């Protein structure tokens, strides 16, 4: 009975851990590495195991850094079941299809460049749409709270992690040679009291917890302050007469923003705006959200039940085609445009920035983390001029960053989640940069919890972990 840290140990992406029980091999997530040094090479590198020898995968949620290498795993010989939540499967279908399209485009670009340079070598896409859909075919859905034996000696229960729709923490009971241990893998844990989703859930006592630490050393701005700021920005923008651009992530953030716009429709005087959701992927993801209202919290369920029709705002236009997107460029005043990508590294938001960024009466509202080196980061950092499609564009629009919209819990949320598990089990911290993981480790230790930061390649003998007893 052994756990090995592989991906997402010491970093935030590429979540993947290897569990061996009774000679069977189970993966917890099989995520894509994003950002950092040479992510493409690292994603292409051989797995430290034979993919054909993996017996099953448990998928915590649909974010690409958790499911992005499933198609590759299948391509390399894996044929076992992938256990996941029904909503997670619906979202993974959208995200993996997008990942495949991106990977195929990237490979084409590299190959064109090589051809021009007289280089005969060719690269293959990391995976194709066909590979992605074949991975989706392997998925077996399990609802929250339903206990399932996924391999001999391995019983699984998903619990709502409150991070994105269908996200789960994974509660496992492992049995081997008369020894039983209970292992919990947090997946990504959401914020408590966030809109739409239920609060992160926990379950019965565990002997060991594998826990994310993305914001392990930080506290988010409060939801109330964030909403007050958002409302203020929109009211001021209407007075000043311009457009508001919201670069948004397709899954999670977009739906939260739409929900808050709907909930504050009167208070924020949104009636005479035109609101555009300008992203085919975000539209598809929103439709999955609206379809799975059974997973909403009480407020959102009541709101969904009151809705007579979809989309949820009377003045929301869903822009699927490039023509519909380009038509927005003719509007100079009174448009709220929600478009991807969230960090402005590509997608339709870049065109809207090109048309609006140099106009002082416009606003750009960021709602999430902007990584170093992205266009979004350059704008947030206050650069006077940025380059878009090779040309300089002056940044004259007002730029705002809303702090409270994270899909991840902060240190307080993570401590609260752990404290709700009976017996205060020991923790291995994963899915965090070292300072974040160490910050959470120290905070847990301060509460008398045994906590360590995981490193890739390190193995833990689970039978050797003392069982936790709860009085
Ligand atoms: Zn996530």
């Amino acid at each position: 009975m052994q756990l090995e840290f592989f991906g997402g140990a010491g970093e935030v992406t590429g979540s993947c851990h290897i569990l061996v029980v009774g000679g069977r091999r189970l993966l917890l997530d099989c995520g894509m590495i994003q950002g950092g040094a040479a992510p493409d090479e690292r994603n292409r590198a051989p797995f430290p195991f034979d993919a054909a020898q993996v017996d099953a995968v448990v998928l915590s949620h649909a974010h690409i850094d958790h499911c992005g290498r499933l198609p590759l795993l299948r391509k390399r010989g894996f044929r076992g079941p992938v256990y996941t939540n029904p909503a997670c499967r619906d979202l993974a279908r959208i995200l993996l299809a997008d990942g495949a399209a991106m990977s195929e485009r990237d490979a084409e670009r590299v190959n064109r460049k090589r051809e021009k340079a007289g280089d005969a070598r060719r690269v293959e896409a990391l995976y194709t749409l066909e590979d992605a859909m074949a991975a989706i075919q392997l998925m077996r859905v399990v609802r929250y709270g339903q206990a399932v034996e996924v391999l001999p000696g391995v019983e699984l229960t998903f619990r709502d992690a409150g991070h994105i729709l269908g996200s789960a923490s994974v509660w496992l009971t492992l049995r081997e040679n008369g020894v039983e241990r209970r292992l919990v893998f947090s997946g990504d844990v959401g914020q408590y009291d966030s809109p739409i989703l239920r609060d992160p859930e926990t379950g019965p006592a565990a002997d060991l917890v594998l826990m994310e630490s993305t914001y392990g050393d930080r506290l988010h701005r409060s939801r109330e302050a964030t909403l007050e700021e958002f409302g203020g920005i929109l009211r001021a923008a209407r007075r000043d007469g311009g457009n508001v651009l919201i670069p948004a992530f397709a899954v999670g953030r977009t739906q939260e923003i739409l929900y808050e716009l709907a909930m504050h429709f009167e208070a924020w005087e949104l009636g005479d705006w035109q609101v555009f959701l300008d992203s085919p992927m975000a539209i598809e993801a929103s439709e999955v959200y609206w379809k799975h209202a059974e997973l909403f919290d009480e407020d959102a369920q009541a709101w969904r039940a009151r809705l007579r029709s979809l989309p949820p705002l009377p003045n929301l236009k869903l822009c699927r085609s490039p023509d519909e997107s380009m038509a927005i460029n003719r509007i100079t005043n009174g448009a709220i445009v929600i478009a991807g990508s969230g960090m402005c590294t590509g997608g339709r938001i870049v065109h809207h920035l090109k048309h609006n960024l140099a106009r002082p009466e416009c606003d750009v509202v960021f709602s999430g983390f902007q990584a170093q080196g992205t266009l979004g980061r350059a704008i947030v950092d206050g650069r006077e001029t940025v380059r878009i499609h090779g040309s300089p564009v002056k940044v004259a629009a007002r730029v705002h960053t809303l702090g409270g919209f994270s899909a991840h819990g902060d240190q307080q949320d993570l401590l609260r989640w752990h404290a709700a598990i009976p017996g205060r089990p020991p923790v291995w911290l994963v899915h965090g940069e070292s300072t974040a993981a160490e910050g959470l480790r120290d905070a847990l230790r301060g509460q008398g919890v045994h906590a360590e930061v995981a490193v890739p390649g390190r193995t833990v003998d689970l039978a050797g972990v003392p069982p936790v007893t709860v009085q």
Side-chain angles (χ1 to χ4, degrees):
M1 209 187 271
Q2 184 181 291
L3 172 69
E4 185 183 338
F5 306 118
F6 165 44
E11 59 184 324
V12 178
T13 66
S15 177
C16 187
H17 310 288
I18 309 157
L19 194 58
V20 183
V21 180
R24 309 286 186 120
R25 195 170 269 115
L26 177 79
L27 297 186
L28 301 174
D29 287 344
C30 192
M32 183 91 87
I33 297 159
Q34 297 172 300
D40 192 50
E41 274 159 55
R42 292 182 63 206
N43 282 319
R44 284 170 193 276
F47 294 113
F49 45 78
D50 178 356
Q53 300 294 317
V54 173
D55 296 286
V57 177
V58 175
L59 175 60
S60 68
H61 65 286
H63 274 150
I64 216 75
D65 60 323
H66 293 257
C67 73
R69 270 192 291 180
L70 281 173
L72 195 62
L73 189 74
R74 192 201 164 277
K75 195 170 150 185
R76 292 178 178 172
F78 170 69
R79 291 294 182 274
V82 177
Y83 291 95
T84 196
N85 180 280
C88 175
R89 182 188 54 186
D90 292 350
L91 290 175
R93 186 179 285 125
I94 300 169
L95 285 163
L96 288 178
D98 180 67
M102 242 167 7
S103 175
E104 290 181 88
R105 265 199 313 270
D106 288 350
E108 261 170 47
R109 193 170 48 228
V110 171
N111 289 335
R112 261 201 314 274
K113 249 193 205 162
R114 287 187 175 176
E115 204 177 326
K116 262 192 198 158
D119 184 340
R121 291 174 308 151
R122 293 289 173 268
V123 290
E124 228 183 71
L126 193 61
Y127 60 87
T128 61
L129 184 61
E130 214 181 349
D131 297 323
M133 291 308 114
I136 296 290
Q137 291 302 319
L138 298 177
M139 291 187 177
R140 305 279 172 273
V141 295
V142 180
R143 290 173 194 285
Y144 293 134
Q146 181 189 349
V148 184
E149 186 172 60
V150 294
L151 288 175
V154 181
E155 191 186 89
L156 156 83
T157 310
F158 285 130
R159 302 194 188 276
D160 196 338
H163 167 64
I164 58 169
L165 194 80
S167 66
S169 297
V170 180
W171 299 69
L172 294 164
T173 304
L174 313 171
R175 294 182 191 93
E176 184 185 88
N177 301 328
V179 177
E180 182 182 298
R181 289 292 181 273
R182 299 152 303 174
L183 173 71
V184 175
F185 170 44
S186 70
D188 286 355
V189 178
Q191 292 195 58
Y192 287 82
D193 303 318
S194 65
I196 307 177
L197 302 178
R198 296 192 185 126
D199 281 349
E201 251 189 313
T202 52
D207 303 309
L208 191 71
V209 175
L210 198 56
M211 186 174 168
E212 72 120 325
S213 54
T214 314
Y215 289 101
D217 60 342
R218 265 173 286 173
L219 296 177
H220 295 316
R221 192 145 184 250
S222 81
R223 176 76 47 179
E224 294 78 53
T226 300
L227 290 177
E228 205 169 297
E229 187 185 353
F230 194 18
I233 293 166
L234 294 175
R235 272 194 228 101
R238 197 72 195 102
R239 253 195 333 265
D240 300 344
N243 294 328
V244 176
L245 305 185
I246 307 180
F249 298 90
V251 177
R253 204 71 43 86
T254 292
Q255 292 76 37
E256 267 188 43
I257 288 169
L258 288 176
Y259 178 75
E260 296 297 3
L261 292 178
M263 295 303 272
H264 298 86
F265 195 79
E266 306 286 323
W268 294 351
E269 298 155 28
L270 298 175
D272 53 352
W273 284 96
Q274 298 183 75
V275 186
F276 297 95
L277 179 55
D278 187 23
S279 156
M281 181 158 75
I283 293 168
E284 272 186 76
S286 300
E287 286 167 344
V288 172
Y289 264 70
W290 299 330
K291 188 178 98 183
H292 283 287
E294 79 281 2
L295 301 177
F296 290 2
D297 67 12
E298 237 174 85
D299 292 347
Q301 279 195 1
W303 164 76
R304 182 72 181 77
R306 281 199 308 272
L307 277 182
R308 280 201 212 97
S309 61
L310 286 166
L313 294 170
N315 49 355
L316 174 66
K317 185 164 168 28
L318 306 177
C319 302
R320 289 186 168 85
S321 73
D323 284 347
E324 287 169 308
S325 175
M326 281 188 287
I328 302 171
N329 293 331
R330 290 195 287 273
I331 303 171
T332 55
N333 173 6
I336 296 174
V337 186
I338 304 164
S341 71
M343 298 190 199
C344 313
T345 47
R348 294 178 177 180
I349 192 70
V350 180
H351 295 271
H352 300 306
L353 287 167
K354 200 168 154 183
H355 283 86
N356 293 283
L357 204 52
R359 301 175 55 215
E361 66 276 27
C362 291
D363 293 79
V364 186
V365 182
F366 289 94
S367 61
F369 178 72
Q370 302 296 312
Q372 207 88 45
T374 60
L375 175 58
R377 180 62 170 263
I379 296 170
V380 164
D381 278 351
R383 295 257 191 89
E384 279 175 27
T385 308
V386 292
R387 290 192 84 78
I388 299 181
H389 298 145
S391 308
V393 177
K394 198 165 158 256
V395 184
R398 280 168 302 235
V399 176
H400 317 267
T401 301
L402 297 176
F405 268 112
S406 178
H408 283 272
D410 62 10
Q411 187 187 68
Q412 221 170 359
D413 292 313
L414 291 168
L415 291 173
R416 179 173 166 186
W417 181 82
H418 178 269
I421 304 172
R424 315 300 310 276
V427 174
W428 280 95
L429 292 166
V430 294
H431 206 281
E433 305 285 354
S434 56
T435 48
E438 285 159 14
L440 186 58
R441 176 198 63 195
D442 295 345
L444 283 162
R445 285 181 180 172
Q447 299 187 343
V449 176
H450 183 91
E452 301 283 348
V453 176
V455 286
R458 165 89 191 240
T459 59
V460 179
D461 169 26
L462 293 171
V465 173
V468 167
T469 48
V470 181
Q471 305 302 324

